Amino acid sequence: MKSEKEHNVKIPIKNIKIHQPAQVEHYKPRDQIYVRKVTGVFQTLRRKMNFFFLTLFAVLPWLQYNGHQAILFDIVEQRFTLWGLTLWPQDLTLLAWLFILSAFLLFFVTTFLGRVWCGYLCPQTVWTFIFIWFEEKIEGTANQRKKLDSQKLNVNKFWRKALKHSCWLFFSLLTALTFVGYFVPVQTVFIDFFTFNSSFAIAGTIWFFALCTYGNAGWMREVMCLHMCPYARFQSAMFDKDTFTVSYDAKRGENRGARSRKQDPKELGLGDCIDCNLCVQVCPTGIDIRNGLQYECINCGACVDACDGVMERMKYEKGLIRYTTEHELEGKKVHLIRSKLLGYAVVLLIMSSLLIIEIVNRAPVSLDIIRDRTELAKENFNGEIENVYTLKILNKSQTDNRYRLSVNGIENTTWHGEQEVLVKAASVYTLPMSISVDPYELNGAYMTDISFVIELISDDDDVKLDKESRFFNKR
């Protein structure tokens, strides 16, 4: 047995300090990006394209054709007008073809030139640069804007911020009014809105789109491109090693480092990149293109122009950052014509041809036949069997037309109602009528197939349309 002394022996304890790992910040609030102004070939091209399509967007709803708005997507009347073409719900296949064609055109361009749609034509990018232009004119350069935001509120800061946001809101309101003008007659939209006669639905729609424009282009900006735009996520599926994208030539640029213009970078063991960070400062999404291809890059070419300007001042060769392909950067041959690109081109050609054929063969008139459901057939006072119909004649053209109606399938029929009607341009004419026939002409059949024929009465055009229906006998 152990003695009492052995039982009372204390075990020495050593205090060990446990170092807790630094707390990882899983969510970092968005840092505001102060986009620096840059000039160059691609920015000039982008501004001219933006101006052209912005002008087109503003002018198109005001154009007139044959006394009506040339482009009007009238949802209430279920009628889409495109110059001389009027589309009705029956013609939605044409719109479907148009949307599919546009999608494949986007795929084709993306496979060849990368995400240039985002950099040069996307409304989010266009409106964001317009809002940045307001910032530059009112608050100054990127460094001046950053300094202004760091200051406490004073008179100078207040009036500049108030003026900037007022310009943003006014431009957003004009954008919303123009946009709604594509769906409601544009003159009515502007006049009713500024005279406070707009309906609640139209006024609410205008303010909704105005606030969305203000929020997207003024506040969210690159957040839309990075986190909300689906195109940014699936664009990589269309890229290959021969796709032209904005890329940094690491072989030529590394190692980076500052130097004077007179120093030889090779003697210093440096590449052509002077690590000025201008490519980051001019990027609207705030990325560093030198880190390689990133889905955030919208191919706007701002970093290309900024880098070319630096290379020119340093008397180095331009193109350290340029539109190039992965194969070119690796020193391999670039294949401009390849199977994926040819596949998209073939699909585009086929769909364009089908769309043109469908438009050319589209009937300028439509006829819907509605039977009287209360009584399929009745015997009139002459002892004849009579069926009652309602004909819906849709004039899809932009001119008033006169049509002649007749029926085939039964001999010696009597037509009760108008057989020649005038239908206004792009409108529907409802014609109640009935057909009667001697029972002996039906040969005892309970149901006989017939067809209604509608013909355009004109010396210039030969339009004729048949529509099947049924004629019922009394049991």
Side-chain angles (χ1 to χ4, degrees), residues 27-62:
Y27 172 76
K28 182 181 179 182
R30 166 178 170 257
D31 294 327
Q32 183 172 349
I33 298 175
Y34 297 88
V35 181
R36 182 168 177 166
K37 184 178 180 180
V38 61
T39 58
V41 175
F42 296 107
Q43 296 318 291
T44 301
L45 175 63
R46 178 188 59 77
R47 291 188 184 100
K48 288 183 177 179
M49 292 181 66
N50 290 174
F51 179 78
F52 173 77
F53 285 103
L54 183 64
T55 304
L56 200 65
F57 166 77
V59 169
L60 278 180
W62 294 95

Side-chain angles (χ1 to χ4, degrees), residues 92-242:
L92 286 180
T93 52
L94 289 175
L95 288 178
W97 276 114
L98 187 61
F99 289 141
I100 295 172
L101 185 66
S102 301
F104 272 92
L105 180 60
L106 179 62
F107 299 160
F108 176 82
V109 172
T110 303
T111 302
F112 186 59
L113 292 174
R115 203 177 169 183
V116 291
W117 158 262
C118 298
Y120 291 85
L121 294 176
C122 177
Q124 175 66 24
T125 304
V126 174
W127 263 255
T128 295
F129 276 113
I130 291 172
F131 277 40
I132 292 175
W133 180 83
F134 280 115
E135 281 186 337
E136 291 173 347
K137 295 299 180 182
I138 298 171
E139 297 182 356
T141 64
N143 289 332
Q144 290 173 332
R145 299 197 300 270
K146 188 182 298 184
K147 182 180 179 181
L148 183 68
D149 286 347
S150 64
Q151 296 175 1
K152 293 182 179 180
L153 185 63
N154 52 40
V155 175
N156 178 62
K157 183 175 182 178
F158 176 79
W159 81 260
R160 290 184 185 275
K161 292 291 182 182
L163 179 59
K164 179 186 74 172
H165 288 281
S166 298
C167 292
W168 283 1
L169 281 170
F170 181 71
F171 192 80
S172 300
L173 183 60
L174 288 179
T175 300
L177 285 165
T178 304
F179 179 75
V180 174
Y182 280 89
F183 301 92
V184 180
V186 67
Q187 294 182 359
T188 303
V189 170
F190 274 81
I191 294 173
D192 288 352
F193 183 81
F194 288 108
T195 57
F196 303 101
N197 291 319
S198 296
S199 66
F200 176 79
I202 293 179
T205 303
I206 291 170
W207 281 112
F208 172 77
F209 281 106
L211 292 176
C212 285
T213 304
Y214 171 75
N216 290 343
W219 294 94
M220 300 184 71
R221 295 188 177 178
E222 78 282 353
V223 173
M224 297 291 296
C225 303
L226 304 185
H227 305 295
M228 301 182 70
C229 177
Y231 179 53
R233 300 297 177 178
F234 69 75
Q235 60 162 333
S236 58
M238 292 168 273
F239 281 18
D240 56 37
K241 293 189 176 183
D242 291 303

Side-chain angles (χ1 to χ4, degrees), residues 97 101 343-357:
W97 276 114
L101 185 66
Y344 284 134
V346 170
V347 172
L348 277 172
L349 181 62
I350 293 173
M351 291 196 302
S352 300
S353 302
L354 291 174
L355 179 61
I356 293 172
I357 291 172

Side-chain angles (χ1 to χ4, degrees), residues 276-422:
C276 61
N277 275 338
L278 273 180
C279 55
V280 180
Q281 296 174 28
V282 301
C283 180
T285 58
I287 65 169
D288 190 341
I289 194 63
R290 296 171 296 180
N291 293 334
L293 179 63
Q294 299 153 72
Y295 79 90
E296 296 94 339
C297 177
I298 61 173
N299 266 24
C300 65
C303 55
V304 178
D305 287 330
C307 187
D308 281 350
V310 173
M311 293 296 103
E312 187 176 9
R313 288 191 293 272
M314 295 296 295
K315 297 184 179 179
Y316 296 166
E317 183 183 355
K318 294 181 181 181
L320 179 60
I321 300 176
R322 62 186 184 272
Y323 284 95
T324 185
T325 69
E326 189 175 342
H327 273 159
E328 185 182 358
L329 290 175
E330 295 173 354
K332 298 178 181 179
K333 183 180 178 181
V334 178
H335 301 88
L336 295 179
I337 301 175
R338 48 200 186 274
S339 57
K340 183 188 290 187
L341 207 61
L342 286 175
Y344 284 134
V346 170
V347 172
L348 277 172
L349 181 62
I350 293 173
M351 291 196 302
S352 300
S353 302
L354 291 174
L355 179 61
I356 293 172
I357 291 172
E358 188 165 352
I359 292 175
V360 170
N361 294 330
R362 173 178 173 267
V365 63
S366 174
L367 178 64
D368 289 332
I369 304 168
I370 304 173
R371 292 190 53 85
D372 184 2
R373 299 299 182 184
T374 59
E375 190 176 14
L376 293 179
K378 64 181 180 180
E379 186 175 344
N380 62 21
F381 63 90
N382 291 326
E384 296 177 327
I385 303 301
E386 186 174 353
N387 283 199
V388 178
Y389 304 87
T390 299
L391 306 183
K392 296 277 189 179
I393 305 167
L394 172 59
N395 181 6
K396 297 181 181 180
S397 69
Q398 298 293 336
T399 57
D400 299 347
N401 290 325
R402 185 173 292 277
Y403 299 97
R404 182 185 297 111
L405 295 154
S406 59
V407 64
N408 291 331
I410 303 178
E411 298 293 334
N412 302 318
T413 58
T414 302
W415 184 287
H416 303 278
E418 294 180 88
Q419 279 195 272
E420 290 189 5
V421 294
L422 176 66

